[in-house]
Amino acid sequence: MSSLRTELSLSAAHPSSIRCDALVLASRSVDGKAELVGELDLPRTVSTSINKTLAAVGAGGTAGEVITLSDVAKVTAELVLVVGTGKDSRRPGVTEPDALERVRRAAGVAARALAGKERAAFAMGPPTPELVAATGEGALLGAYAFQSFFGVGKTSSAKKPLGSAVLTGIKPRAKEGREMVDRLHTVATAVFYARDLVNTPPNALYPESFASSVTRRAPKNVKVEVWDPERLEAEGCGGIVGVGQGSARGPRMVTMTYAPRGAKSSVAFVGKGITFDSGGLCLKPATGMVTMKCDMGGAAAVASAVIAIAELGLPVAVTGYLCLAENMTGDLAQRPGDVVTMRDGKTVEIINTDAEGRLVMADGLALASEQRPDAIVDIATLTGACTVALGSRTFGVMGNNDDVIERALGGATAAGEPAWPLPLPEELRASMDSPVADIKHTGERAAGAMIAATFLAEFIGPDASGSTLPWAHLDIAGPAFNDNSPFGYTPKGGTGAGVRALVEFARGYVA
């Protein structure tokens, strides 16, 4: 998998004096014209000169715009990149997270544009800890490159990521600065791991190899347990067994446990891990399978988030459940009309074998419920309907508890991951009534994302008092895989969607 990484460093020197390949500055759009953001630590003559040049070339300061200048007077760097952040962040109604996210995306655009360069300095605005951190995170995430499977001829021509990003405005030896750099590297590396897993071809990543990768990657303070097909059957996990029985590569359930001393709260994360989805006997069309190596994006997010949380040492207990299977059409493939018994004893009538994700997730949710955590969050590339509703960059949030839903949305906002709440109307449940089992695993065609979540809700168990455990569901079908051009700090291919949101969710549960 990818081992290429941009290094972060700090500098208190004036940005214009730093020796590097490029100096990255941010612009904003004011009345349709670009101007440098305020409070940059630049000589006034330099700022004035650059603003005049931006006006002369007709720069607009729109989000993602890159203007490259050379031989800028009184600037040591060979090049100056001015990257647009969009409309003036001072306009009414713009919140701080929005402004930080624009900086984060602009830094990602710059890092991608500087692929192949050794060193760049970033001065994207006033050097507050929050803005510098957003700049560093965007630069790291934007510099990602997955080149593990390039063959002869491509390897030598592929550009390496930007070698080093220098963040200006913070003293290199400041404790807060060092801690910030370590934190950014930890989270970005976790996102990279999720992206790597999603980008790995399905002939190389399947349930067993996924489980082995997580076992190797997990830090010492995370306990990993793997259930093979025999154990899954013995444990009554009929959902994941049924989905995986059509493949020669059997399913796995991976449990990752991080239990720091003194933790006063606990959360469970459950991730969908369909390493390839053919649709089963309800076969997808050929074009619908092209990106189906990404159908394990939820499990990738959970594995990566648990690793990051453990490496950050957050004082909250976290258990991750990776529900891994390959949905294929072999001799024993599950059929429409089959009835399976789930981990919690409920029976499910199979209707559409291409709605397999909710089956593996149901077993994971039932298993997670048995530990009675303070909250359960599941994350899955679950429904195309969610993409229809919210597009390819926003994930849906549903659940049974307003507080947990708000925490999930808040974690996503803090991380810069677009998310939006959807309801779970009670009347949807009736469409899943079955004449031969406790429930069908599909319902009415309309409201597909909410139908899937309503099914998952059936498998959330009780707490010690008998009340249903608090739960939220994240449908990342849209943002988990980008099959269009890169944007911001988001590459083409696996995006690592949900990793940072889950980390921030756990951070919110620190007592």
Side-chain angles (χ1 to χ4, degrees), residues 242-309:
V243 172
Q245 68 191 30
S247 171
R249 292 165 164 163
R252 298 291 190 277
M253 178 75 79
V254 180
T255 304
M256 306 172 69
T257 304
Y258 167 63
R261 289 184 180 180
K264 297 181 181 179
S265 54
S266 62
V267 297
F269 295 151
V270 181
K272 174 186 171 183
I274 302 299
T275 57
F276 185 77
D277 183 16
S278 70
L281 292 182
C282 300
L283 198 66
K284 292 180 182 291
T287 54
M289 290 191 216
V290 174
T291 61
M292 281 301 100
K293 66 179 182 179
C294 81
D295 213 15
M296 32 59 64
V302 168
S304 300
V306 173
I307 290 170
I309 290 164

Side-chain angles (χ1 to χ4, degrees), residues 109-257:
V109 169
R112 191 170 62 251
L114 291 169
K117 300 293 185 182
E118 290 298 324
R119 192 167 189 254
F122 287 73
M124 307 289 285
T128 63
E130 295 80 10
L131 190 138
V132 174
T135 300
E137 186 172 40
L140 287 176
L141 296 176
Y144 170 84
F146 184 73
Q147 301 175 355
S148 301
F149 289 84
F150 285 166
V152 176
K154 186 67 180 247
T155 301
S156 59
S157 63
K159 287 185 178 180
K160 293 181 179 180
L162 172 66
S164 174
V166 181
L167 306 180
T168 62
I170 296 182
K171 294 180 180 179
R173 296 184 181 180
K175 179 183 177 183
E176 295 80 3
R178 295 197 307 270
E179 290 176 347
M180 178 193 70
V181 168
D182 289 343
R183 182 180 72 253
L184 293 177
H185 272 143
T186 296
V187 175
T189 300
V191 174
F192 289 175
Y193 182 48
R195 290 176 177 178
D196 286 351
L197 288 168
V198 172
N199 287 329
T200 299
N203 61 325
L205 189 78
Y206 41 90
E208 183 179 10
S209 63
F210 194 143
S212 297
S213 174
V214 171
T215 301
R216 292 192 304 270
R217 187 66 177 264
K220 292 182 179 180
N221 56 349
V222 173
K223 177 185 176 183
V224 179
E225 183 179 8
V226 180
W227 288 2
D228 62 14
E230 291 73 22
R231 178 71 183 275
L232 286 167
E233 189 165 358
E235 295 286 349
C237 297
I240 192 169
V241 169
V243 172
Q245 68 191 30
S247 171
R249 292 165 164 163
R252 298 291 190 277
M253 178 75 79
V254 180
T255 304
M256 306 172 69
T257 304

Side-chain angles (χ1 to χ4, degrees), residues 34-36 46-56:
E35 67 174 40
L36 293 179
V46 173
S47 297
T48 300
S49 174
I50 292 175
N51 277 326
K52 286 183 178 179
T53 303
L54 293 176

Side-chain angles (χ1 to χ4, degrees), residues 293-361:
K293 66 179 182 179
C294 81
D295 213 15
M296 32 59 64
V302 168
S304 300
V306 173
I307 290 170
I309 290 164
E311 290 179 343
L312 291 170
L314 298 185
V316 55
V318 180
T319 305
Y321 299 86
L322 316 182
C323 310
L324 310 179
E326 190 175 51
N327 188 25
M328 300 295 283
T329 59
D331 292 347
L332 298 177
Q334 195 164 239
R335 295 151 293 226
D338 283 358
V339 173
V340 297
T341 303
M342 313 299 284
R343 168 73 181 186
D344 67 350
K346 290 188 180 72
T347 58
V348 176
E349 181 186 7
I350 306 304
I351 302 300
N352 179 356
T353 63
D354 194 23
E356 81 300 326
R358 65 198 71 180
L359 293 171
V360 303
M361 294 293 284

